[in-house]
Amino acid sequence: ESGSEAQVTLIGNLVDETGEPIGLSTGIARNLDDSDFPPLQVFTNRSGRFALLGAKPGMYRIEMSGGGTVDVEAPVGAIGLVRVGEVTLE
């Protein structure tokens, strides 16, 4: 197989329990389906928007440096941009 399946970019908005954006924050995303897949950097802009670059299909747990986690999924067969919408940090 030529190339890598790590060609997915997950895009979404990260908010807290009250719906407030979690802006200018960083974290790590780990692939829960493949423990050998390297962790990916996550960061949010002022409005809480994040992009997870270089992902491959599977479930990811995002752990933010300020505390809290959220799970997002890159569907099987996904390539390119996957919009996950608004996700709430728990």
Side-chain angles (χ1 to χ4, degrees):
E1 181 183 328
S2 66
S4 163
E5 54 179 346
Q7 297 176 356
V8 178
T9 298
L10 294 170
I11 290 187
N13 288 321
L14 193 59
V15 298
D16 65 17
E17 306 85 21
T18 66
E20 288 296 310
I22 298 173
L24 302 178
S25 192
T26 61
I28 295 287
R30 292 185 169 82
N31 187 308
L32 299 179
D33 302 321
D34 180 358
S35 60
D36 293 332
F37 192 72
L40 301 172
Q41 287 283 337
V42 181
F43 56 90
T44 62
N45 69 8
R46 284 187 195 284
S47 61
R49 192 162 188 74
F50 69 89
L52 189 57
L53 305 170
K56 69 176 191 175
M59 187 66 77
Y60 289 83
R61 175 153 299 144
I62 300 174
E63 301 170 15
M64 296 308 287
S65 56
T69 63
V70 66
D71 292 349
V72 294
E73 185 175 14
V76 171
I79 294 176
L81 218 53
V82 174
R83 297 183 191 283
V84 298
E86 189 173 276
V87 293
T88 304
L89 199 64
E90 295 176 5

Coordinates of all heavy atoms in Angstrom, one line a residue:
E1 N 0.9 -1.2 0.0 CA 0.0 0.0 0.0 C 0.9 1.2 0.0 O 1.8 1.4 0.8 CB -0.9 0.0 1.2 CG -1.8 1.2 1.3 CD -2.6 1.2 2.6 OE1 -3.0 0.1 3.1 OE2 -2.9 2.3 3.1
S2 N 0.7 2.1 -0.9 CA 1.5 3.3 -1.0 C 0.8 4.4 -0.1 O -0.4 4.5 0.0 CB 1.6 3.8 -2.4 OG 0.3 4.2 -2.9
G3 N 1.7 5.2 0.5 CA 1.2 6.3 1.3 C 0.8 5.8 2.7 O 0.9 4.7 3.0
S4 N 0.3 6.8 3.4 CA -0.1 6.5 4.8 C -1.6 6.8 5.0 O -2.2 7.6 4.2 CB 0.7 7.5 5.7 OG 0.1 7.5 7.0
E5 N -2.2 6.1 5.9 CA -3.6 6.3 6.2 C -3.8 7.5 7.1 O -4.9 8.0 7.4 CB -4.3 5.1 6.7 CG -3.7 4.5 8.0 CD -4.4 3.3 8.5 OE1 -5.6 3.1 8.1 OE2 -3.9 2.6 9.3
A6 N -2.7 8.1 7.5 CA -2.7 9.3 8.4 C -2.9 10.5 7.6 O -2.0 11.4 7.5 CB -1.5 9.4 9.3
Q7 N -4.0 10.6 6.9 CA -4.3 11.8 6.0 C -5.6 12.5 6.4 O -6.3 13.1 5.5 CB -4.4 11.3 4.6 CG -3.1 10.7 4.1 CD -3.2 10.1 2.7 OE1 -4.3 10.1 2.1 NE2 -2.1 9.7 2.1
V8 N -6.0 12.4 7.6 CA -7.2 13.0 8.1 C -6.9 14.2 9.0 O -6.0 14.2 9.8 CB -8.1 12.0 8.9 CG1 -9.4 12.6 9.4 CG2 -8.3 10.7 8.0
T9 N -7.7 15.3 8.8 CA -7.7 16.4 9.6 C -9.0 16.6 10.3 O -10.0 16.7 9.6 CB -7.3 17.7 8.9 OG1 -6.0 17.6 8.3 CG2 -7.3 18.9 9.8
L10 N -9.1 16.4 11.6 CA -10.3 16.6 12.4 C -10.4 18.1 12.8 O -9.4 18.6 13.3 CB -10.3 15.7 13.6 CG -10.4 14.2 13.4 CD1 -10.1 13.5 14.7 CD2 -11.7 13.8 12.8
I11 N -11.6 18.7 12.5 CA -11.8 20.1 12.9 C -13.0 20.2 13.7 O -14.0 19.6 13.4 CB -11.9 21.0 11.6 CG1 -10.6 21.1 10.9 CG2 -12.4 22.3 11.9 CD1 -10.5 22.0 9.7
G12 N -12.9 21.0 14.8 CA -14.1 21.2 15.6 C -13.9 22.4 16.5 O -12.9 23.1 16.5
N13 N -14.9 22.6 17.4 CA -14.8 23.7 18.4 C -14.9 23.0 19.8 O -15.8 22.3 20.1 CB -16.0 24.6 18.2 CG -15.8 25.5 17.0 OD1 -14.7 25.9 16.7 ND2 -16.9 25.7 16.3
L14 N -14.0 23.4 20.6 CA -13.9 22.9 22.0 C -14.5 23.8 23.0 O -14.1 25.0 23.0 CB -12.4 22.6 22.3 CG -12.1 21.8 23.6 CD1 -12.7 20.4 23.4 CD2 -10.6 21.7 23.7
V15 N -15.5 23.4 23.8 CA -16.1 24.2 24.7 C -16.1 23.5 26.1 O -15.9 22.3 26.2 CB -17.6 24.5 24.3 CG1 -17.6 25.3 23.0 CG2 -18.4 23.3 24.2
D16 N -16.4 24.3 27.2 CA -16.5 23.7 28.5 C -18.0 23.4 28.8 O -18.8 23.5 27.9 CB -15.9 24.6 29.6 CG -16.7 26.0 29.7 OD1 -17.8 26.1 29.2 OD2 -16.1 26.9 30.3
E17 N -18.2 22.9 30.0 CA -19.6 22.4 30.3 C -20.7 23.5 30.2 O -21.8 23.2 30.0 CB -19.7 21.9 31.7 CG -18.6 20.8 32.1 CD -17.3 21.4 32.5 OE1 -17.2 22.5 32.9 OE2 -16.3 20.6 32.4
T18 N -20.2 24.8 30.3 CA -21.2 25.9 30.2 C -21.3 26.4 28.7 O -22.1 27.3 28.5 CB -20.8 27.1 31.1 OG1 -19.6 27.6 30.6 CG2 -20.6 26.6 32.5
G19 N -20.6 25.7 27.8 CA -20.7 26.2 26.4 C -19.7 27.2 26.0 O -19.7 27.7 24.9
E20 N -18.8 27.7 27.0 CA -17.8 28.7 26.7 C -16.7 28.1 25.9 O -16.2 27.0 26.3 CB -17.3 29.3 28.0 CG -18.3 30.2 28.7 CD -18.7 31.4 27.9 OE1 -17.8 32.1 27.4 OE2 -19.9 31.7 27.7
P21 N -16.2 28.8 24.9 CA -15.0 28.2 24.1 C -13.8 28.1 25.0 O -13.6 28.9 25.9 CB -14.8 29.3 23.0 CG -16.0 30.1 23.0 CD -16.7 30.0 24.4
I22 N -13.0 27.0 24.8 CA -11.8 26.9 25.4 C -10.7 27.3 24.5 O -10.3 26.6 23.6 CB -11.5 25.4 25.9 CG1 -12.6 25.0 26.9 CG2 -10.2 25.2 26.5 CD1 -12.7 23.6 27.2
G23 N -10.3 28.6 24.6 CA -9.4 29.3 23.7 C -8.0 29.2 24.1 O -7.7 29.2 25.3
L24 N -7.1 29.3 23.1 CA -5.7 29.4 23.3 C -5.2 28.4 24.3 O -4.5 28.7 25.3 CB -5.3 30.8 23.7 CG -5.7 31.9 22.8 CD1 -5.4 33.3 23.3 CD2 -5.1 31.7 21.4
S25 N -5.5 27.1 24.0 CA -5.1 26.0 24.9 C -4.4 24.9 24.0 O -4.6 24.9 22.8 CB -6.3 25.4 25.6 OG -6.0 24.6 26.6
T26 N -3.6 24.1 24.7 CA -2.9 23.0 24.0 C -3.2 21.7 24.6 O -3.6 21.6 25.8 CB -1.4 23.2 24.0 OG1 -0.9 23.3 25.4 CG2 -1.0 24.5 23.3
G27 N -3.0 20.6 23.9 CA -3.2 19.3 24.4 C -2.6 18.3 23.5 O -1.9 18.6 22.5
I28 N -2.8 17.0 23.9 CA -2.3 15.8 23.1 C -3.5 14.9 22.8 O -4.4 14.7 23.6 CB -1.3 15.0 24.0 CG1 -0.1 15.9 24.3 CG2 -0.9 13.7 23.4 CD1 0.9 16.0 23.2
A29 N -3.5 14.4 21.6 CA -4.5 13.5 21.2 C -3.9 12.1 21.0 O -2.9 12.0 20.3 CB -5.2 13.9 19.9
R30 N -4.5 11.1 21.6 CA -4.0 9.7 21.5 C -5.0 8.9 20.7 O -6.2 8.9 21.0 CB -3.7 9.1 22.8 CG -2.5 9.8 23.5 CD -2.1 9.1 24.8 NE -0.8 9.6 25.3 CZ -0.7 10.7 26.0 NH1 -1.7 11.5 26.2 NH2 0.5 11.1 26.4
N31 N -4.5 8.0 19.8 CA -5.4 7.1 19.1 C -5.7 5.9 20.0 O -4.8 5.2 20.4 CB -4.7 6.6 17.8 CG -5.7 5.8 16.9 OD1 -6.3 4.9 17.4 ND2 -5.8 6.2 15.6
L32 N -7.0 5.8 20.4 CA -7.4 4.7 21.3 C -7.4 3.4 20.7 O -7.4 2.3 21.3 CB -8.8 5.1 21.9 CG -8.8 6.4 22.7 CD1 -10.3 6.6 23.2 CD2 -7.8 6.4 23.8
D33 N -7.5 3.3 19.3 CA -7.5 2.0 18.6 C -6.1 1.5 18.2 O -6.0 0.4 17.8 CB -8.4 2.2 17.3 CG -9.8 2.7 17.6 OD1 -10.3 2.3 18.6 OD2 -10.3 3.5 16.8
D34 N -5.1 2.4 18.3 CA -3.8 2.0 17.9 C -2.8 2.6 18.9 O -2.3 3.7 18.6 CB -3.5 2.4 16.5 CG -2.1 2.0 16.0 OD1 -1.3 1.4 16.7 OD2 -1.8 2.3 14.8
S35 N -2.3 1.9 19.9 CA -1.4 2.4 20.9 C -0.1 2.7 20.3 O 0.7 3.5 20.9 CB -1.3 1.5 22.1 OG -0.8 0.2 21.6
D36 N 0.3 2.2 19.2 CA 1.6 2.5 18.5 C 1.6 3.8 17.7 O 2.6 4.3 17.3 CB 2.0 1.3 17.6 CG 2.3 0.1 18.4 OD1 2.7 0.2 19.6 OD2 2.1 -1.0 17.9
F37 N 0.4 4.3 17.4 CA 0.3 5.5 16.6 C 0.7 6.7 17.5 O 0.3 6.8 18.6 CB -1.2 5.7 16.2 CG -1.3 6.8 15.1 CD1 -0.9 6.6 13.8 CD2 -1.9 8.0 15.4 CE1 -1.0 7.6 12.9 CE2 -2.0 9.0 14.5 CZ -1.6 8.8 13.2
P38 N 1.7 7.5 17.0 CA 2.2 8.6 17.9 C 1.2 9.6 18.3 O 0.3 9.9 17.5 CB 3.3 9.2 17.0 CG 3.0 8.8 15.6 CD 2.3 7.5 15.7
P39 N 1.3 10.1 19.5 CA 0.3 11.2 19.9 C 0.4 12.4 19.0 O 1.5 12.7 18.5 CB 0.8 11.5 21.3 CG 1.7 10.4 21.8 CD 2.2 9.8 20.5
L40 N -0.7 13.1 18.8 CA -0.8 14.3 18.0 C -1.0 15.5 18.8 O -1.7 15.5 19.8 CB -1.9 14.2 17.0 CG -1.9 13.0 16.0 CD1 -3.1 12.9 15.3 CD2 -0.7 13.1 15.1
Q41 N -0.3 16.6 18.5 CA -0.5 17.9 19.1 C -1.9 18.5 18.8 O -2.3 18.4 17.6 CB 0.6 18.9 18.7 CG 1.9 18.6 19.3 CD 2.1 19.0 20.7 OE1 1.3 19.8 21.2 NE2 3.0 18.4 21.4
V42 N -2.5 19.1 19.8 CA -3.8 19.8 19.6 C -3.6 21.2 20.1 O -3.0 21.4 21.2 CB -4.9 19.1 20.3 CG1 -6.3 19.8 20.1 CG2 -5.1 17.7 19.9
F43 N -4.2 22.2 19.4 CA -4.2 23.5 20.0 C -5.5 24.2 19.5 O -6.0 23.9 18.5 CB -3.0 24.4 19.6 CG -2.7 24.5 18.2 CD1 -3.3 25.5 17.4 CD2 -2.0 23.5 17.5 CE1 -3.1 25.6 16.1 CE2 -1.8 23.6 16.1 CZ -2.3 24.7 15.4
T44 N -6.0 25.1 20.3 CA -7.2 25.9 20.0 C -6.8 27.3 19.7 O -5.9 27.9 20.3 CB -8.3 25.8 21.1 OG1 -7.7 26.4 22.3 CG2 -8.6 24.3 21.4
N45 N -7.6 28.0 18.9 CA -7.5 29.4 18.7 C -8.4 30.1 19.7 O -8.9 29.5 20.6 CB -7.8 29.8 17.2 CG -9.3 29.7 16.9 OD1 -10.1 29.4 17.7 ND2 -9.6 29.8 15.6
R46 N -8.5 31.4 19.6 CA -9.2 32.2 20.6 C -10.7 31.8 20.7 O -11.3 31.9 21.8 CB -9.2 33.7 20.2 CG -7.9 34.4 20.5 CD -8.0 35.9 20.2 NE -6.7 36.5 20.2 CZ -6.0 36.7 21.2 NH1 -6.4 36.4 22.4 NH2 -4.8 37.3 21.1
S47 N -11.3 31.3 19.6 CA -12.7 30.9 19.7 C -12.9 29.4 20.0 O -14.0 28.9 19.8 CB -13.3 31.3 18.3 OG -12.7 30.6 17.3
G48 N -11.8 28.7 20.4 CA -11.9 27.3 20.7 C -11.8 26.4 19.6 O -12.0 25.2 19.7
R49 N -11.6 26.9 18.4 CA -11.5 26.0 17.2 C -10.2 25.2 17.2 O -9.1 25.8 17.5 CB -11.6 26.9 15.9 CG -11.8 26.1 14.7 CD -12.3 27.0 13.6 NE -12.7 26.4 12.4 CZ -13.8 25.7 12.2 NH1 -14.6 25.5 13.3 NH2 -14.1 25.1 11.1
F50 N -10.2 24.0 16.9 CA -9.0 23.1 16.9 C -9.0 22.3 15.6 O -10.0 22.1 14.9 CB -9.0 22.2 18.1 CG -10.0 21.1 18.0 CD1 -9.7 19.9 17.4 CD2 -11.2 21.2 18.6 CE1 -10.7 18.8 17.4 CE2 -12.2 20.2 18.6 CZ -11.9 19.0 18.0
A51 N -7.8 22.0 15.2 CA -7.5 21.1 14.1 C -6.5 20.0 14.5 O -5.5 20.3 15.1 CB -7.0 21.9 12.9
L52 N -6.9 18.8 14.3 CA -6.1 17.6 14.6 C -5.5 17.1 13.3 O -6.2 16.5 12.5 CB -6.9 16.6 15.3 CG -6.2 15.4 15.9 CD1 -5.2 15.9 16.9 CD2 -7.2 14.5 16.6
L53 N -4.2 17.5 13.0 CA -3.6 17.2 11.7 C -2.9 15.8 11.8 O -2.3 15.5 12.8 CB -2.6 18.2 11.4 CG -3.1 19.7 11.4 CD1 -1.9 20.7 11.2 CD2 -4.1 19.9 10.2
G54 N -2.9 15.1 10.6 CA -2.2 13.9 10.5 C -2.8 12.7 11.3 O -2.1 11.8 11.7
A55 N -4.1 12.8 11.5 CA -4.8 11.7 12.1 C -5.1 10.6 11.1 O -5.0 10.8 9.9 CB -6.1 12.2 12.7
K56 N -5.5 9.4 11.6 CA -5.9 8.3 10.7 C -7.3 7.9 11.3 O -7.6 8.2 12.4 CB -4.9 7.2 10.7 CG -4.8 6.4 12.0 CD -3.8 5.3 11.8 CE -3.8 4.3 12.9 NZ -3.0 3.1 12.7
P57 N -8.0 7.1 10.6 CA -9.3 6.6 11.1 C -9.2 6.0 12.5 O -8.2 5.2 12.7 CB -9.8 5.7 10.1 CG -9.2 6.2 8.8 CD -7.9 6.7 9.2
G58 N -10.1 6.3 13.4 CA -10.1 5.7 14.7 C -10.6 6.7 15.7 O -11.0 7.8 15.4
M59 N -10.7 6.3 17.0 CA -11.1 7.1 18.1 C -9.9 7.8 18.7 O -8.9 7.1 19.0 CB -11.9 6.3 19.1 CG -12.6 7.1 20.2 SD -13.9 8.1 19.6 CE -15.2 7.0 19.3
Y60 N -10.1 9.1 19.0 CA -9.0 9.8 19.7 C -9.5 10.4 21.0 O -10.6 10.9 21.1 CB -8.5 11.0 18.8 CG -7.7 10.5 17.6 CD1 -8.4 10.1 16.4 CD2 -6.3 10.4 17.6 CE1 -7.7 9.6 15.3 CE2 -5.6 9.9 16.5 CZ -6.3 9.5 15.4 OH -5.6 9.0 14.3
R61 N -8.6 10.3 22.0 CA -8.9 11.0 23.3 C -8.0 12.2 23.3 O -6.7 12.1 23.3 CB -8.6 10.1 24.5 CG -8.8 10.8 25.8 CD -9.2 9.9 26.9 NE -10.5 9.3 26.6 CZ -10.8 8.1 27.0 NH1 -10.0 7.3 27.6 NH2 -12.0 7.6 26.7
I62 N -8.6 13.4 23.4 CA -7.8 14.6 23.5 C -7.7 15.0 25.0 O -8.7 15.0 25.7 CB -8.5 15.8 22.7 CG1 -8.6 15.4 21.2 CG2 -7.7 17.1 23.0 CD1 -9.4 16.4 20.5
E63 N -6.4 15.1 25.4 CA -6.2 15.5 26.8 C -5.6 16.9 26.8 O -4.5 17.1 26.3 CB -5.2 14.6 27.5 CG -5.6 13.1 27.5 CD -4.5 12.2 27.9 OE1 -3.5 12.6 28.4 OE2 -4.6 11.0 27.6
M64 N -6.4 17.9 27.3 CA -5.9 19.3 27.3 C -5.0 19.5 28.5 O -5.1 19.0 29.6 CB -7.1 20.2 27.3 CG -8.0 20.1 26.1 SD -7.2 20.2 24.5 CE -6.8 22.0 24.5
S65 N -4.0 20.4 28.3 CA -3.0 20.7 29.3 C -3.6 21.3 30.5 O -3.0 21.1 31.6 CB -1.9 21.5 28.7 OG -2.4 22.7 28.2
G66 N -4.7 22.0 30.4 CA -5.3 22.6 31.5 C -6.2 21.7 32.3 O -6.9 22.0 33.3
G67 N -6.3 20.4 31.8 CA -7.2 19.4 32.5 C -8.4 19.2 31.6 O -8.8 20.0 30.9
G68 N -8.9 17.9 31.7 CA -10.1 17.6 30.9 C -9.7 16.8 29.7 O -8.6 16.9 29.1
T69 N -10.7 15.9 29.3 CA -10.5 15.1 28.1 C -11.8 15.2 27.3 O -12.9 15.5 27.8 CB -10.2 13.7 28.4 OG1 -11.3 13.1 29.1 CG2 -8.9 13.5 29.2
V70 N -11.7 14.8 26.0 CA -12.8 14.7 25.1 C -12.4 13.7 24.1 O -11.3 13.6 23.7 CB -13.3 16.0 24.5 CG1 -12.3 16.6 23.6 CG2 -14.7 15.8 23.8
D71 N -13.4 12.8 23.6 CA -13.1 11.9 22.6 C -13.8 12.3 21.3 O -14.9 12.8 21.3 CB -13.7 10.5 23.0 CG -13.0 9.8 24.1 OD1 -12.0 10.3 24.6 OD2 -13.6 8.8 24.7
V72 N -13.0 12.2 20.2 CA -13.5 12.5 18.9 C -13.1 11.3 17.9 O -12.2 10.6 18.2 CB -12.9 13.8 18.3 CG1 -13.4 15.0 19.1 CG2 -11.4 13.8 18.3
E73 N -13.9 11.2 16.9 CA -13.7 10.0 16.0 C -13.4 10.4 14.6 O -14.1 11.3 14.0 CB -14.9 9.1 16.0 CG -14.6 7.8 15.2 CD -15.8 6.8 15.3 OE1 -16.9 7.2 15.8 OE2 -15.6 5.6 14.9
A74 N -12.4 9.8 13.9 CA -12.2 9.9 12.5 C -12.8 8.6 11.9 O -12.3 7.5 12.2 CB -10.7 10.0 12.2
P75 N -13.9 8.7 11.2 CA -14.6 7.5 10.7 C -13.7 6.6 9.8 O -12.8 7.2 9.1 CB -15.8 8.1 9.9 CG -15.9 9.5 10.2 CD -14.6 9.9 10.7
V76 N -14.0 5.4 9.7 CA -13.3 4.4 8.8 C -13.5 4.9 7.4 O -14.6 5.3 7.0 CB -13.8 3.0 9.0 CG1 -13.3 2.1 7.9 CG2 -13.6 2.5 10.4
G77 N -12.4 4.9 6.7 CA -12.4 5.4 5.3 C -12.3 6.9 5.1 O -12.3 7.4 3.9
A78 N -12.2 7.6 6.2 CA -12.2 9.1 6.1 C -10.8 9.5 5.5 O -9.8 8.9 5.8 CB -12.3 9.7 7.4
I79 N -10.9 10.5 4.6 CA -9.7 11.1 4.0 C -9.9 12.6 4.0 O -11.1 13.0 3.6 CB -9.4 10.6 2.6 CG1 -9.0 9.1 2.7 CG2 -8.2 11.4 2.0 CD1 -8.8 8.5 1.3
G80 N -8.9 13.4 4.3 CA -9.1 14.9 4.2 C -9.8 15.4 5.5 O -9.6 15.0 6.6
L81 N -10.7 16.4 5.2 CA -11.3 17.1 6.3 C -12.5 16.4 6.9 O -13.4 16.0 6.2 CB -11.8 18.5 5.8 CG -11.6 19.7 6.6 CD1 -10.2 19.8 7.2 CD2 -12.0 20.9 5.8
V82 N -12.5 16.3 8.3 CA -13.6 15.7 9.0 C -14.1 16.7 10.0 O -13.3 17.0 10.9 CB -13.3 14.3 9.6 CG1 -14.4 13.8 10.5 CG2 -12.9 13.3 8.6
R83 N -15.3 17.2 9.9 CA -15.8 18.2 10.9 C -16.5 17.4 12.0 O -17.4 16.7 11.7 CB -16.7 19.1 10.2 CG -16.1 20.0 9.1 CD -17.0 21.0 8.5 NE -16.4 21.6 7.3 CZ -15.5 22.5 7.3 NH1 -15.0 23.0 8.5 NH2 -14.9 23.0 6.2
V84 N -16.0 17.6 13.2 CA -16.6 17.0 14.4 C -17.6 17.9 15.1 O -18.2 17.5 16.1 CB -15.6 16.4 15.3 CG1 -14.7 15.3 14.6 CG2 -14.7 17.4 15.9
G85 N -17.7 19.1 14.7 CA -18.6 20.1 15.3 C -18.1 20.5 16.7 O -16.9 20.5 17.0
E86 N -19.1 20.9 17.6 CA -18.8 21.3 18.9 C -18.6 20.2 19.8 O -19.5 19.3 19.9 CB -19.9 22.3 19.4 CG -19.5 23.0 20.7 CD -20.6 24.0 21.0 OE1 -20.5 25.2 20.5 OE2 -21.5 23.7 21.8
V87 N -17.5 20.1 20.6 CA -17.3 19.0 21.5 C -17.0 19.6 22.9 O -16.4 20.7 23.0 CB -16.1 18.1 21.1 CG1 -16.5 17.3 19.8 CG2 -14.8 18.8 20.9
T88 N -17.5 18.9 23.9 CA -17.4 19.5 25.3 C -16.4 18.7 26.1 O -16.4 17.5 26.2 CB -18.8 19.3 26.0 OG1 -19.8 19.9 25.2 CG2 -18.8 19.9 27.4
L89 N -15.4 19.5 26.6 CA -14.4 19.0 27.5 C -15.0 18.5 28.8 O -15.8 19.2 29.4 CB -13.3 20.1 27.7 CG -12.0 19.6 28.2 CD1 -11.3 18.8 27.1 CD2 -11.1 20.8 28.5
E90 N -14.6 17.3 29.2 CA -15.1 16.8 30.5 C -14.0 16.6 31.5 O -12.9 16.5 31.2 CB -15.8 15.4 30.3 CG -17.0 15.6 29.4 CD -17.7 14.3 29.1 OE1 -17.2 13.2 29.6 OE2 -18.6 14.2 28.3

